[in-house]
Amino acid sequence: MPAVDESELGRFLADAAADDAARARSQERGLRQVAEEEATFAGLALDLAERGAGVIVRTASGRPHRGRIEAVGRDFVVVRDGARPPVFVPLAAITVLRPEPSAAGNADFAGARPAPVDVSLAAALSRLAVERPRVQLTSVGDPEPLAGELRSVGADVATVQLDGEGRLVAHVRLAGLADVVVFDY
């Protein structure tokens, strides 16, 4: 049996280890790519919520909301910054969802799964309306939010009794909402 050169064996084992590491990195990249291609906003929001990551949510109205995602519903997220009131943001109104720069593993949010709570924004707000909370609603494309008491919520409309003299009532299409701040929550 011929003698084995130890330096040759060392190089062989090092090459095998490098090949194995390269295969593992390639598989991980492939799995990450598949997960990113199947990502949904709700799934990404859920990843961020579970990690407790600080986020910036920018809406179609141009307003940014900073905080942590407290809840993820079928078509909305709830963002809260400490003791400030929660903000309900329809997924359709979100233009950018990103972790704060301080979030660990900033690029590791795959989002390839459904929302954990199968409740719609209409259903969540309808439940809140029973308590008549004070709210501020911002519509997409309208820089002036409406503030007042949330009176009722139907399938596609919210009714708010506005603050101020005369206590006028406004009806707001849910599909046009950029965000809803709930003050009495």
Side-chain angles (χ1 to χ4, degrees):
M1 180 170 225
V4 176
D5 181 1
E6 285 186 24
S7 62
E8 187 177 320
L9 180 60
R11 281 192 304 272
F12 171 79
L13 293 176
D15 288 347
D19 289 347
D20 193 40
R23 265 191 305 279
R25 284 190 305 274
S26 179
Q27 284 177 330
E28 183 179 330
R29 256 190 323 271
L31 291 172
R32 193 175 317 126
Q33 179 71 28
V34 168
E36 288 172 357
E37 289 171 355
E38 295 176 356
T40 64
F41 254 88
L44 290 166
L46 181 56
D47 286 350
L48 291 162
E50 286 178 348
R51 294 183 188 191
V55 297
I56 300 171
V57 176
R58 186 167 297 279
T59 68
S61 71
R63 295 179 58 168
H65 298 285
R66 293 176 183 267
R68 300 199 186 299
I69 296 175
E70 284 194 341
V72 180
R74 182 183 329 139
D75 60 351
F76 71 100
V77 297
V78 178
V79 178
R80 188 175 218 157
D81 187 7
R84 299 185 71 181
V87 181
F88 289 64
V89 184
L91 292 177
I94 297 174
T95 57
V96 178
L97 171 63
R98 73 174 177 88
E100 290 277 9
S102 62
N106 196 335
D108 294 335
F109 301 103
R113 55 196 176 141
V117 180
D118 191 25
V119 65
S120 68
L121 178 62
L125 292 178
S126 180
R127 175 125 186 185
L128 281 173
V130 171
E131 299 174 22
R132 305 271 195 252
R134 188 159 180 287
V135 297
Q136 175 181 292
L137 294 92
T138 305
S139 295
V140 173
D142 188 352
E144 285 296 317
L146 298 173
E149 183 179 275
L150 184 62
R151 302 295 294 181
S152 65
V153 178
D156 63 353
V157 63
T159 302
V160 178
Q161 188 168 18
L162 300 174
D163 291 344
E165 287 186 43
R167 305 277 293 160
L168 300 173
V169 173
H171 305 282
V172 181
R173 275 190 78 229
L174 294 180
L177 285 176
D179 59 57
V180 179
V181 180
V182 181
F183 293 105
D184 300 331
Y185 186 75

